[in-house]
Amino acid sequence: MASPQADSRPQPAEGPASLENFGYRQELRRELRFMDMLAYGLVFMVPIAPFAIFGSVFQVSGGMVALTYLVALVAMLFTANSYAQMVKAFPMAGSVYNYASRGIAPPVGFVAGWAILLDYILVPSLLYVVAAFSMNAIVTAIPTAVWLVLFVLVNTVVNYLGIKITATVTRWFLIAQLIVLALVVVVFLIALGQGKGNGLSAGTALFNGDLFGWSLIFAAVGVAMLSFLGFDGISMLAEENREEASKIGRAMAGALIVAGVLFVLQTWLGSMLVPNPDALLNGGPVAGDEFAAAAESASGHWMYVLTSLATALAWGIANAMVAQGATSRLLFAMARDKQLPSFLAKVSPKHAVPTNAVFLVAGLSLVLGLTLWFTREADAIADLGRLVNFGALVAFIVLHVTVFWWYVVRNGSRDWVRHAILPALGLGMLVFVVINQKIFAQLIGGIWVLLGIAVVAFLVATKRTPMLSGMSEETTVDPDDNLTPAP
């Protein structure tokens, strides 16, 4: 395949568009197809993600875990629509940072990138420490810190070797997770058929009219959202996609729907098998192994070990691997625009990956992970998860605004459904989730966002307003959503 930079003529966004249209050189290697991106998104979300946070969601939602995941899925589908619209206009790495910068203004993009950094920088550390603690519980002879270091080393090596190697490894992990999940579902159905449930009926496990309230559900969505984070990471691969830009949006929607259905199914069955549900509903301590305990009650201790091991490997290797890769692409995109130190924009000529960004993410993950391990504070780990969610939610809110601003305000689109109504519905749901988050997340996350705004204000005041390459060339959107240079 010819290098995209060999042809500098304007190309529509409905293909692997030339980055030269936007002032960039093609440095990353275009090797990914639709199925690669779909698998990447599914691994990033982790099909068995609810295993790890099931107890917390059960408690916060009043036992309506499946309903919580269903509501979260709807909210994320609105967000996927907005991603699909913006990736067609600007098919490049950087995600919300790039979309808001070009769709509204560079200072807004900087704040959006700053907000989502809270998600992307912290999430690998969260994944590593949770996985390391889980592996130590299974293999006690190996200390938690050693597991953490091993996970970081393995993922860094794979990410350094290139996106194709990463995609291949993650696809095998995806297959393994789906096999485990299929086994769990079959075992749960057999157990329920044998009357091994905890007393909750199928209807009550989905909807409990005595406890239901939208504030309750959206507070739980704020916790469950952690399972969905990662579908947006597909947009970070835009410069490594070799097919039409629209395939990126389809991969995000497809990954969301598949994962969402699996989340609802496994948590609905698990809710009817988790031991002593009343203790959780009455505010009892959450141990973190509630789903594994449900599996054990269904078919014995071997199921407890299987689900615990699958959770640890899925979070510590598969999920953390793609998280590290996506985070490095965000740092790379911001650095080449001089929004972050330029050394992060260095790309390996041999492996076509942003090596310095990959190594920085590994180092930060190791330091933060070991700090969490040293403190051994369960509340600190839970708060870290809330901060990850908060950063992503703020960035998604900016994304919805960007779709309306770019298509309707700046380009006069009259596609009211995709460019106004759906973004507005997604925006409203996410704002409600943020409002119902814990005070800690609102406070620390709010301070982080305000700090980003302060940095932008300082740059503007000192006449160093953030700018992106190629921003001087105005663009318009034609009726078919193809990006073309303005005459």
Side-chain angles (χ1 to χ4, degrees):
M1 179 177 178
S3 170
Q5 71 183 75
D7 183 3
S8 61
R9 293 174 298 173
Q11 298 179 26
E14 288 301 310
S18 171
L19 288 177
E20 290 187 355
N21 295 342
F22 303 98
Y24 301 121
R25 290 186 301 112
Q26 180 70 43
E27 296 182 273
L28 306 181
R29 193 169 293 149
R30 292 193 181 276
E31 294 189 304
L32 302 181
R33 297 186 181 276
F34 171 80
M35 289 305 298
D36 295 318
M37 293 184 290
L38 178 66
Y40 185 95
L42 283 171
V43 171
F44 204 154
M45 284 187 285
V46 184
I48 59 174
F51 286 14
I53 60 174
F54 176 80
S56 297
V57 180
F58 188 96
Q59 186 174 75
V60 178
S61 67
M64 293 173 280
V65 188
L67 178 61
T68 296
Y69 274 102
L70 186 59
V71 173
L73 172 61
V74 173
M76 289 296 93
L77 284 173
F78 288 131
T79 302
N81 168 73
S82 289
Y83 266 110
Q85 302 314 307
M86 294 313 302
V87 80
K88 284 189 289 186
F90 307 113
M92 62 189 75
S95 189
V96 180
Y97 155 72
N98 246 318
Y99 307 151
S101 293
R102 297 176 183 278
I104 301 178
V108 178
F110 179 90
V111 174
W114 184 272
I116 207 167
L117 271 177
L118 191 63
D119 165 13
Y120 276 72
I121 290 295
L122 294 180
V123 74
S125 304
L126 176 66
L127 297 171
Y128 284 131
V129 74
V130 170
F133 275 118
S134 298
M135 285 303 297
N136 176 251
I138 299 169
V139 186
T140 56
I142 301 178
T144 301
V146 174
W147 281 116
L148 196 152
V149 172
L150 286 173
F151 285 143
V152 173
L153 285 175
V154 169
N155 289 340
T156 301
V157 169
V158 174
N159 272 297
Y160 174 74
L161 292 176
I163 191 63
K164 194 63 178 178
I165 297 295
T166 303
T168 301
V169 173
T170 54
R171 181 171 292 186
W172 282 108
F173 268 100
L174 174 61
I175 293 172
Q177 289 180 58
L178 292 176
I179 291 173
V180 170
L181 183 55
L183 177 61
V184 168
V185 169
V186 170
V187 168
F188 279 13
L189 287 172
I190 292 174
L192 290 171
Q194 295 173 342
K196 292 183 178 180
N198 56 22
L200 289 178
S201 67
T204 304
L206 181 64
F207 179 83
N208 188 336
D210 295 333
L211 297 175
F212 176 81
W214 282 116
S215 294
L216 179 79
I217 296 300
F218 274 96
V221 167
V223 179
M225 196 74 76
L226 186 64
S227 300
F228 285 97
L229 298 184
F231 83 93
D232 55 304
I234 296 174
S235 66
M236 294 291 183
L237 306 178
E239 294 177 29
E240 290 151 287
N241 165 47
R242 63 182 300 178
E243 298 182 321
E244 297 84 0
S246 60
K247 292 292 183 70
I248 301 173
R250 293 174 190 171
M252 284 191 280
L256 265 177
I257 292 172
V258 172
V261 170
L262 295 177
F263 292 166
V264 170
L265 176 61
Q266 65 192 270
T267 56
W268 183 41
L269 298 175
S271 296
M272 291 182 276
L273 286 162
V274 62
N276 199 7
D278 290 337
L280 283 172
L281 295 178
N282 292 326
V286 176
D289 65 346
E290 283 75 16
F291 195 93
E296 184 174 35
S297 69
S299 190
H301 188 65
W302 72 276
M303 279 294 291
Y304 180 98
V305 174
L306 175 64
T307 52
S308 298
L309 182 62
T311 301
L313 294 179
W315 281 52
I317 295 184
N319 195 0
M321 183 185 298
V322 294
Q324 184 177 359
T327 305
S328 67
R329 270 60 175 182
L330 175 60
L331 296 176
F332 161 76
M334 295 184 73
R336 72 179 175 185
D337 289 324
K338 298 179 174 58
Q339 310 293 306
L340 290 176
S342 59
F343 81 94
L344 293 173
K346 177 179 174 57
V347 174
S348 165
K350 180 178 181 180
H351 301 294
V353 296
T355 51
N356 288 344
V358 168
F359 292 144
L360 178 63
V361 175
L364 288 174
S365 300
L366 190 60
V367 171
L368 290 173
L370 289 174
T371 300
L372 285 172
W373 162 75
F374 182 76
T375 59
R376 286 179 168 81
E377 287 289 339
D379 289 342
I381 296 174
D383 288 338
L384 184 63
R386 295 187 184 100
L387 282 176
V388 166
N389 286 350
F390 186 90
L393 290 169
V394 171
F396 294 164
I397 287 171
V398 175
L399 171 70
H400 289 305
V401 175
T402 302
V403 172
F404 178 79
W405 191 266
W406 169 251
Y407 280 99
V408 177
V409 176
R410 292 185 62 177
N411 290 284
S413 170
R414 292 300 176 261
D415 187 343
W416 299 112
V417 174
R418 290 188 298 172
H419 300 153
I421 296 175
L422 295 181
L425 290 172
L427 174 68
M429 292 186 74
L430 294 180
V431 168
F432 198 38
V433 172
V434 170
I435 291 172
N436 285 281
Q437 280 215 304
K438 293 285 186 180
I439 296 297
F440 172 84
Q442 294 173 339
L443 178 62
I444 303 301
I447 290 174
W448 175 262
V449 173
L450 288 175
L451 181 59
I453 293 174
V455 170
V456 168
F458 173 77
L459 293 174
V460 171
T462 56
K463 302 187 185 304
R464 290 181 290 173
T465 302
M467 288 297 295
L468 276 65
S469 297
M471 285 292 286
S472 60
E473 296 183 15
E474 292 296 326
T475 53
T476 57
V477 177
D478 70 21
D480 296 321
D481 288 336
N482 290 335
L483 186 73
T484 56

